[in-house]
Structure formats: C-alpha cells, structure tokens
Amino acid sequence: DEPLLDESESAAAAEKADVVATISIHEALKNTAEEVNALILPPVENFLRQWFYRQGIWIAKYPGSTLLLTLLFISLSLLGLFRFEVETEPEKLWVPNGSISKHQKDYFDSAFGKFYRIE
C-alpha cells in the first residue's frame, strides 16, 4: 500500500490549509472591498454601501444601544398621538380657511342654518 501523497506533498497541503485558516474575516472583506472598488462604483452607491456596512458593524457591536435608541425614537414618535383629534365636519376637511367659498358658506349657514346634503 502506497500513500496517496508523499510526506513533502502532505506537509505542503497542511501548510496551505493553515494559511487559508488564518485569513480573518476582516482580511477577506478587505479583499472583497478592493475587488468591488476596482469596478469604480458610482459615488452614491459607494457611499450607501459604506454607510450600511458601518451601520451593520455598529449594530452588531452595540445591540443594547440599538434597541434603546429604537425604543426611544418610537416613544417620541408616539407622543404625537396625544394631540390626535378626529375631524368630523366636512367643511373643515375640504374647504381652506379664508377662502371665498368658506365665507359664503358661513353666511349661508348664519342666514339659513346648517345644511348637509345626504343622498
């Protein structure tokens, strides 16, 4: 029985495997980025690519801060619901204040009473 690889070939293969295993993720991403930059991306696409890459790195590093900032933003946005009012008068929805039709409608309502057409 002869071995499939002699000792020199197996040592070279093991050394090559060690080199491949020692390449870090950042080095691989750097190599990928260099290949992409070789394509000369449009400036906006390049900016967005870098922005989202950095954003993803920050979110991965600080997940607690990300959740806290997200909840803070949502809470601040929901404060507007305290000022929410439902408008039920169609004139206020569709007729701008100060318009001629608004003045005419106010005169009509004061002279004859409110009138809503119901069909």
Side-chain angles (χ1 to χ4, degrees):
D1 287 333
E2 284 186 36
L4 294 176
L5 295 174
D6 63 4
E7 289 183 21
S8 63
E9 290 177 348
S10 64
E15 188 176 309
K16 184 177 179 182
D18 288 341
V19 170
V20 172
T22 58
I23 294 178
S24 69
I25 294 173
H26 292 293
E27 290 173 357
L29 289 174
K30 183 180 176 185
N31 293 340
T32 305
E34 289 172 0
E35 292 172 7
V36 169
N37 288 337
L39 298 174
I40 307 174
L41 298 173
V44 173
E45 184 179 348
N46 193 23
F47 170 77
L48 289 174
R49 184 183 304 267
Q50 290 175 357
W51 169 260
F52 285 115
Y53 175 77
R54 289 185 189 126
Q55 185 179 15
I57 295 293
W58 192 87
I59 289 170
K61 281 185 181 179
Y62 308 106
S65 298
T66 302
L67 289 172
L68 182 66
L69 288 173
T70 303
L71 291 174
L72 181 66
F73 175 75
I74 291 170
S75 300
L76 289 174
S77 298
L78 288 174
L79 287 176
L81 287 178
F82 290 119
R83 297 180 56 196
F84 182 75
E85 294 179 11
V86 176
E87 185 60 61
T88 57
E89 294 184 35
E91 294 87 21
K92 288 186 179 178
L93 287 173
W94 304 108
V95 181
N97 287 331
S99 67
I100 295 172
S101 60
K102 171 80 169 141
H103 292 297
Q104 291 174 351
K105 175 75 169 133
D106 291 340
Y107 173 76
F108 181 86
D109 289 344
S110 65
F112 302 107
K114 286 199 177 252
F115 170 75
Y116 295 107
R117 183 179 359 176
I118 301 173
E119 293 182 22

